mmCIF file of all heavy atoms in Angstrom:
data_model
loop_
_atom_site.group_PDB
_atom_site.id
_atom_site.type_symbol
_atom_site.label_atom_id
_atom_site.label_comp_id
_atom_site.label_asym_id
_atom_site.label_seq_id
_atom_site.Cartn_x
_atom_site.Cartn_y
_atom_site.Cartn_z
ATOM 1 N N LYS A 83 95.639 115.180 158.518
ATOM 2 C CA LYS A 83 97.047 114.858 159.100
ATOM 3 C C LYS A 83 97.689 113.921 158.197
ATOM 4 O O LYS A 83 97.119 112.989 157.746
ATOM 5 C CB LYS A 83 96.690 114.291 160.555
ATOM 6 C CG LYS A 83 98.030 114.045 161.468
ATOM 7 C CD LYS A 83 97.541 113.530 162.778
ATOM 8 C CE LYS A 83 98.822 113.298 163.604
ATOM 9 N NZ LYS A 83 98.397 112.697 165.010
ATOM 10 N N ALA A 132 103.595 110.120 164.816
ATOM 11 C CA ALA A 132 102.732 110.593 165.877
ATOM 12 C C ALA A 132 103.237 110.490 167.198
ATOM 13 O O ALA A 132 102.483 110.271 168.175
ATOM 14 C CB ALA A 132 101.237 109.850 165.695
ATOM 15 N N MET A 133 104.495 110.407 167.268
ATOM 16 C CA MET A 133 105.190 110.330 168.605
ATOM 17 C C MET A 133 105.662 111.704 169.145
ATOM 18 O O MET A 133 106.859 112.044 168.722
ATOM 19 C CB MET A 133 106.479 109.357 168.448
ATOM 20 C CG MET A 133 106.004 108.044 168.049
ATOM 21 S SD MET A 133 107.473 106.958 167.755
ATOM 22 C CE MET A 133 106.563 105.420 167.361
ATOM 23 N N GLY A 134 105.028 112.272 169.978
ATOM 24 C CA GLY A 134 105.379 113.655 170.504
ATOM 25 C C GLY A 134 104.184 114.433 170.987
ATOM 26 O O GLY A 134 103.103 113.970 170.655
ATOM 27 N N SER A 135 104.465 115.542 171.541
ATOM 28 C CA SER A 135 103.508 116.490 172.051
ATOM 29 C C SER A 135 103.789 117.880 171.593
ATOM 30 O O SER A 135 103.255 118.827 172.189
ATOM 31 C CB SER A 135 103.438 116.519 173.645
ATOM 32 O OG SER A 135 103.159 115.096 174.130
ATOM 33 N N GLY A 157 101.161 118.415 170.141
ATOM 34 C CA GLY A 157 101.545 117.321 169.181
ATOM 35 C C GLY A 157 100.798 116.086 169.597
ATOM 36 O O GLY A 157 100.231 115.990 170.675
ATOM 37 N N SER A 158 100.826 114.970 168.734
ATOM 38 C CA SER A 158 101.577 115.011 167.530
ATOM 39 C C SER A 158 100.872 115.767 166.465
ATOM 40 O O SER A 158 101.512 116.196 165.519
ATOM 41 C CB SER A 158 101.772 113.605 167.099
ATOM 42 O OG SER A 158 100.532 112.960 166.798
ATOM 43 N N THR A 177 94.592 112.548 164.735
ATOM 44 C CA THR A 177 94.539 111.294 165.351
ATOM 45 C C THR A 177 95.173 111.353 166.796
ATOM 46 O O THR A 177 96.031 112.217 167.040
ATOM 47 C CB THR A 177 95.433 110.132 164.518
ATOM 48 O OG1 THR A 177 96.797 110.539 164.543
ATOM 49 C CG2 THR A 177 94.937 109.954 163.148
ATOM 50 N N ASP A 178 94.558 110.553 167.623
ATOM 51 C CA ASP A 178 94.827 110.672 169.089
ATOM 52 C C ASP A 178 95.183 109.288 169.599
ATOM 53 O O ASP A 178 94.245 108.312 169.727
ATOM 54 C CB ASP A 178 93.619 111.315 169.723
ATOM 55 C CG ASP A 178 93.709 111.693 171.158
ATOM 56 O OD1 ASP A 178 94.224 110.872 171.928
ATOM 57 O OD2 ASP A 178 93.393 112.861 171.422
ATOM 58 N N THR A 179 96.476 108.945 169.892
ATOM 59 C CA THR A 179 96.831 107.778 170.564
ATOM 60 C C THR A 179 96.980 107.918 172.044
ATOM 61 O O THR A 179 96.814 107.033 172.807
ATOM 62 C CB THR A 179 98.139 107.328 169.935
ATOM 63 O OG1 THR A 179 97.909 107.256 168.548
ATOM 64 C CG2 THR A 179 98.637 106.015 170.486
ATOM 65 N N GLY A 180 97.375 109.154 172.524
ATOM 66 C CA GLY A 180 97.566 109.370 173.808
ATOM 67 C C GLY A 180 97.099 110.874 174.141
ATOM 68 O O GLY A 180 97.333 111.316 175.338
ATOM 69 N N GLY A 181 96.631 111.539 173.095
ATOM 70 C CA GLY A 181 96.257 112.991 173.329
ATOM 71 C C GLY A 181 96.511 113.857 172.120
ATOM 72 O O GLY A 181 96.191 115.110 172.196
ATOM 73 N N SER A 182 96.857 113.255 171.089
ATOM 74 C CA SER A 182 97.378 114.119 169.900
ATOM 75 C C SER A 182 96.328 114.958 169.176
ATOM 76 O O SER A 182 96.601 115.697 168.292
ATOM 77 C CB SER A 182 98.143 113.213 168.939
ATOM 78 O OG SER A 182 99.315 112.815 169.572
ATOM 79 N N MET A 210 100.476 103.745 164.973
ATOM 80 C CA MET A 210 101.521 103.820 165.965
ATOM 81 C C MET A 210 101.338 102.683 166.906
ATOM 82 O O MET A 210 102.014 101.819 167.107
ATOM 83 C CB MET A 210 101.576 105.187 166.606
ATOM 84 C CG MET A 210 102.309 105.131 167.888
ATOM 85 S SD MET A 210 102.990 106.613 168.499
ATOM 86 C CE MET A 210 101.606 107.442 169.242
ATOM 87 N N TYR A 317 100.937 103.480 179.631
ATOM 88 C CA TYR A 317 100.990 103.947 178.247
ATOM 89 C C TYR A 317 102.387 103.746 177.641
ATOM 90 O O TYR A 317 102.517 103.269 176.556
ATOM 91 C CB TYR A 317 100.495 105.317 178.118
ATOM 92 C CG TYR A 317 100.566 105.962 176.841
ATOM 93 C CD1 TYR A 317 99.576 105.783 175.805
ATOM 94 C CD2 TYR A 317 101.614 106.738 176.503
ATOM 95 C CE1 TYR A 317 99.591 106.315 174.605
ATOM 96 C CE2 TYR A 317 101.734 107.367 175.245
ATOM 97 C CZ TYR A 317 100.652 107.193 174.319
ATOM 98 O OH TYR A 317 100.679 107.767 173.105
ATOM 99 N N TYR A 318 103.403 104.197 178.412
ATOM 100 C CA TYR A 318 104.771 104.198 177.817
ATOM 101 C C TYR A 318 105.352 102.713 177.771
ATOM 102 O O TYR A 318 106.518 102.620 177.523
ATOM 103 C CB TYR A 318 105.591 105.220 178.393
ATOM 104 C CG TYR A 318 105.323 106.584 177.762
ATOM 105 C CD1 TYR A 318 104.356 107.524 178.130
ATOM 106 C CD2 TYR A 318 105.969 106.777 176.439
ATOM 107 C CE1 TYR A 318 104.183 108.592 177.417
ATOM 108 C CE2 TYR A 318 105.703 107.886 175.641
ATOM 109 C CZ TYR A 318 104.721 108.776 176.232
ATOM 110 O OH TYR A 318 104.453 109.963 175.489
ATOM 111 N N MET A 321 102.159 101.450 174.437
ATOM 112 C CA MET A 321 102.362 102.140 173.158
ATOM 113 C C MET A 321 103.639 101.837 172.352
ATOM 114 O O MET A 321 103.609 101.373 171.253
ATOM 115 C CB MET A 321 102.199 103.744 173.412
ATOM 116 C CG MET A 321 102.524 104.538 172.157
ATOM 117 S SD MET A 321 104.224 104.896 172.193
ATOM 118 C CE MET A 321 104.497 105.751 173.713
ATOM 119 N N ARG A 370 111.535 104.712 170.998
ATOM 120 C CA ARG A 370 110.406 103.956 171.285
ATOM 121 C C ARG A 370 110.499 102.470 170.785
ATOM 122 O O ARG A 370 109.948 101.494 171.362
ATOM 123 C CB ARG A 370 109.148 104.556 170.771
ATOM 124 C CG ARG A 370 108.878 105.922 171.560
ATOM 125 C CD ARG A 370 107.601 106.571 171.296
ATOM 126 N NE ARG A 370 107.491 107.883 171.728
ATOM 127 C CZ ARG A 370 106.324 108.560 171.841
ATOM 128 N NH1 ARG A 370 105.219 108.056 171.571
ATOM 129 N NH2 ARG A 370 106.438 109.770 172.312
ATOM 130 N N ASP A 437 100.804 114.568 178.397
ATOM 131 C CA ASP A 437 99.582 113.862 178.179
ATOM 132 C C ASP A 437 99.002 113.142 179.401
ATOM 133 O O ASP A 437 98.164 112.292 179.239
ATOM 134 C CB ASP A 437 99.872 112.694 176.996
ATOM 135 C CG ASP A 437 100.137 113.444 175.757
ATOM 136 O OD1 ASP A 437 99.362 114.247 175.254
ATOM 137 O OD2 ASP A 437 101.212 113.166 175.125
HETATM 138 N N1 LIG B 1 102.157 112.635 173.033
HETATM 139 C C1 LIG B 1 101.878 111.259 173.167
HETATM 140 C C2 LIG B 1 102.965 110.416 172.536
HETATM 141 O O1 LIG B 1 103.998 110.942 172.417
HETATM 142 C C3 LIG B 1 100.536 110.968 172.343
HETATM 143 C C4 LIG B 1 100.756 110.898 170.825
HETATM 144 C C5 LIG B 1 99.551 110.651 170.091
HETATM 145 O O2 LIG B 1 98.389 110.720 170.611
HETATM 146 N N2 LIG B 1 99.694 110.360 168.805
HETATM 147 O O3 LIG B 1 102.817 109.210 172.449
#
Side-chain angles (χ1 to χ4, degrees):
K83 189 177 180 184
M133 298 176 181
S135 301
S158 63
T177 61
D178 192 310
T179 304
S182 286
M210 164 155 79
Y317 173 84
Y318 275 95
M321 173 274 298
R370 295 191 191 196
D437 293 310

